Amino acid sequence: MLWGGVLGVLAFGGFRLGGLILGLPLWMREAAGVRIPVELIGERLFRWLPPVWFAYLVNALEAFGRSVLGLEHFGKILALALANLTVAGLGAVGALGLRRWIREVRSTPMAVAAATLLVWTAWMFVLLPLAGGGLLGQKAGPPELVAALGGLWSLAYAGPLVLLLRKDANAPSTGDQNPLSRRALLRRGMRFLAGLLAGSALAEWAVRLAAGAQALFARIRGLPPEITPNRAFYTVSKNFFDPDVDARRWRLEVTGLVENRLVLSLEDLKRLPSVSRPHTFACISNPVGGDLIGNAVWKGVRFRDLLERARPRPQARRVVFRCADGYHTSVPLADLLDPDAFLAYEMNGEVLPKPHGFPLRAVIPGLYGMKNPKWITEIELTDKDHLGYWESQGWSDEAVVKTLSKFTTPRNGAVLPAGPVWVGGVAYAGDRGIKAVEVSFDGGRTWQGAALKPPLGRHTWVLWALRWDARPGRYTLAVRAWDGRGFPQDPAPRPSLPEGATGYHVIRVTVR
């Protein structure tokens, strides 16, 4: 994120005001871990949306960003841009309201200092509290650091704006041409807007590396690898900027209805007996056929071993997770007593990457990713219900994985040569496993069984493939799965909100 603002300034040097206003707070955010107004406002913009709108916009924007713009997390880019415009608009209104006073102050340094103080006051006492950062930014980071960096950001915002207004005031008049005419203001506003939008996009730009093709039966390409590389594994969080956790200072607290309250460092956890297992995660907002799913090998410590040390009290029935980014959710205590439920500190043989929850995340069988929180700092046992971050916005409190299957080859709209064609993909049903996968080449009238590759574990996806003797024509292909308990995939098309998407993945291909 540090380079987003820098790139915005370099690429749009003519829009230096917009680039500087965006670039410096992004640098502050990256260097010091202090949450900035645009970040907090962007989150609020998302949360103010009705849940149905939220789910629709997220899926639509993500699909548009990937297919048209080549961008991941386009919804966040847009929200960050809108947040930038909100902050810039508030500042512009204030500056225009004070422009006469700014022009009349004899000393430019005095005008800059006064405007900086006004911006700082507005930020610390109005903008941050309204955006959820607390009075004086108490929830945005260490108060003294927030205040100091807020001064720098305020100077970066107010300084160029004051200089611009004073320059216009001192510019010679030529006829009826007013330096601050509507046309001039519109032109400068458009340049300012372009700087903000460009910086927002560049700051959040992230292009995933393709997982690469892997031969399932030594003759087929287009299937994902069974183990998703860390850099290709999907990431979803509520944050524009994920937390930077100092492992040396980080502690995990086990609190609430326990006989023995625990405070453990990362090294303490690593000294406990460890387990290593493959596990698939899927996002509850993943649309039918979507890419928000991946499989990795995770290593960590069993919840059961940790809870034995904490000794839960008899009345404890739920567990609340709290995380370094402010996220929170809860699951039944019984889910954590499953021997396959654990806290992971490694992913695919490497230290748990920051986007995936460093230093610690939950791995709980059968549940969508929202119930497997990242950056965990506290585990509280309670006898009360707890409505989590996403649950309070309308998402399922149970979040049990729905049976899903999808094509990864061929792609929708593909043009294929006549003759033998391999079709294939993945199927997943959480902790229930996959018993069978079937494919239809005639829009669902008839079905053929596909071959399954033995899964890597009890809680992983399976790769499937089927050889098709394709003849010229246009075809509608569909895929469905049966879980390990013998229940078929739900064929009814439903959106991801509130419980996860259902329906068959359907693609259309042409054979020539």
Side-chain angles (χ1 to χ4, degrees), residues 48-369:
W48 284 339
L49 287 173
V52 174
W53 292 12
F54 177 87
Y56 174 78
L57 285 174
V58 166
N59 289 332
L61 291 173
E62 289 299 304
F64 175 79
R66 283 194 300 269
S67 60
V68 178
L69 304 178
L71 291 172
E72 294 290 339
H73 309 308
F74 180 65
K76 288 187 178 181
I77 294 174
L78 184 59
L80 183 60
L82 292 175
N84 271 306
L85 292 178
T86 301
V87 174
L90 292 173
V93 170
L96 291 176
L98 296 172
R99 65 184 183 277
R100 182 175 179 180
W101 175 83
I102 290 174
R103 293 172 179 176
E104 292 176 351
V105 175
R106 291 186 178 182
S107 169
T108 296
M110 183 180 297
V112 170
T116 298
L117 179 60
L118 286 174
V119 172
W120 183 88
T121 302
W123 185 39
M124 302 298 292
F125 289 93
V126 180
L127 203 55
L128 275 177
L130 288 177
L135 187 65
L136 294 172
Q138 294 175 347
K139 299 179 182 179
E144 63 279 0
L145 190 58
V146 174
L149 294 179
L152 290 177
W153 180 79
S154 301
L155 176 62
Y157 189 99
L161 204 56
V162 167
L163 294 176
L164 180 63
L165 290 174
R166 290 176 69 86
K167 177 182 177 182
D168 285 333
N170 296 327
S173 177
T174 57
D176 294 332
Q177 182 66 29
N178 185 349
L180 285 178
S181 66
R182 292 182 180 179
R183 182 176 298 178
L185 283 173
L186 179 61
R187 187 169 55 250
R188 287 202 172 98
M190 293 302 295
R191 290 201 298 265
F192 181 77
L193 171 62
L196 287 175
L197 292 176
S200 298
L202 289 168
E204 284 290 327
W205 188 287
V207 179
R208 293 187 187 181
L209 297 176
Q214 176 187 354
L216 180 61
F217 303 125
R219 289 180 292 176
I220 180 172
R221 294 181 179 180
L223 291 174
E226 289 181 278
I227 299 297
T228 309
N230 290 359
R231 294 186 65 183
F233 205 103
Y234 82 92
T235 57
V236 172
S237 75
K238 70 177 186 62
N239 313 305
F240 286 119
F241 305 96
D242 293 330
D244 290 306
V245 179
D246 184 348
R248 294 171 297 180
R249 301 176 60 183
W250 173 88
R251 295 293 183 270
L252 173 68
E253 298 184 48
V254 182
T255 64
L257 297 177
V258 295
E259 298 294 341
N260 183 25
R261 182 175 182 272
L262 302 179
V263 180
L264 302 170
S265 68
L266 185 57
E267 293 305 315
D268 292 333
L269 288 170
K270 290 183 177 180
R271 282 192 286 267
L272 297 176
S274 65
V275 294
S276 180
R277 290 194 179 92
H279 188 99
T280 296
F281 282 129
C283 183
I284 195 171
S285 65
N286 194 31
V288 172
D291 295 325
L292 300 182
I293 183 172
N295 186 56
V297 177
W298 311 87
K299 180 180 178 181
V301 56
R302 284 189 184 93
F303 279 108
R304 188 169 63 178
D305 295 342
L306 202 62
L307 294 175
E308 284 179 357
R309 291 170 172 260
R311 300 192 344 240
R313 293 177 183 172
Q315 63 268 40
R317 61 182 182 88
R318 289 194 72 84
V319 175
V320 178
F321 293 99
R322 294 187 175 86
C323 308
D325 64 339
Y327 183 76
H328 54 97
T329 189
S330 70
V331 298
L333 175 59
D335 287 356
L336 300 192
L337 298 178
D338 186 317
D340 289 338
F342 60 100
L343 288 162
Y345 46 74
E346 285 187 12
M347 179 181 182
N348 288 335
E350 300 177 3
V351 173
L352 190 64
K354 171 184 170 180
H356 298 289
F358 177 84
L360 200 67
R361 74 163 300 161
V363 179
I364 306 172
L367 304 180
Y368 282 114

